[in-house]
Amino acid sequence: AQSVSQHNHHVILSEAASLELGCNYSYGGTVNLFWYVQYPGQHPQLLLKYFSGDPLVKGIKGFEAEFIKSKFSFNLRKPSVQWSDTAEYFCALNTNAGKSTFGDGTTLTVKP
Amino acid sequence: DSGVTQTPKHLITATGQRVTLRCSPRSGDLSVYWYQQSLDQGLQFLIQYYNGEERAKGNILERFSAQQFPDLHSELNLSSLELGDSALYFCASRPTVGGTGELFFGEGSRLTVL
């Protein structure tokens, strides 16, 4: 069975602080990994994805994530957060069978 | 605009009632996923369809059912509604050709059960 675990349920940061959200997954085969962002009152949308190649992937709005296969991790980072980054962040994986599994999400609150 | 259309956007009903939520995937996408998001909770996977056939089932209650029609739109039926069924219900579709498994979500249907 596949699973995704996000370590932090709620993170509170001040503007300009650095961000790292943890994500670990469990699956024995090949996976595609994703981070989705859900702004207040909106639907989830893709932030970035990893499917092959360079394990350091860059997404929109200055976000990046690093896939570390040996640690089954795909942590999300941003060097300097802004108030507009306040949102819910979901880590997800997709297997070759087409099944998508989401983590429980991390609520990020950025104080101005 | 993700290209995934959900109706209605808002729905208020009473306990014990039955409602139907509708979803049209992006043009060309054969897969449809349904998720439930309750207040302050994550995305709970309900069910997935691919080209009219059920592909995967999550924690979907027996009071809930879904189907995907030949024109690829999908409906989620919720019956004998309870207060706890109040939530945001998202539909998502996945590209059939190309893509790497990312999901495109609709705007959601907000269900309030009074």
Side-chain angles (χ1 to χ4, degrees), chain B residues 93-113:
Chain B
S93 72
R94 184 168 65 89
T96 304
V97 178
T100 48
E102 64 263 43
L103 298 180
F104 292 84
F105 286 83
E107 301 277 334
S109 292
R110 182 173 295 281
L111 172 66
T112 302
V113 182

Side-chain angles (χ1 to χ4, degrees), chain A residues 53-103:
Chain A
D54 189 345
L56 184 62
V57 292
K58 295 188 185 298
I60 59 173
K61 303 186 179 184
F63 285 90
E64 64 178 31
E66 185 176 12
F67 171 54
I68 303 180
K69 190 174 181 180
S70 61
K71 295 184 178 180
F72 296 90
S73 70
F74 190 56
N75 292 352
L76 180 70
R77 299 194 292 251
K78 185 172 184 179
S80 177
V81 294
Q82 301 174 318
W83 177 79
S84 58
D85 293 324
T86 294
E88 185 88 14
Y89 292 82
F90 295 97
C91 181
L93 73 82
N94 195 67
T95 67
N96 287 339
K99 187 175 179 183
S100 292
T101 301
F102 282 76

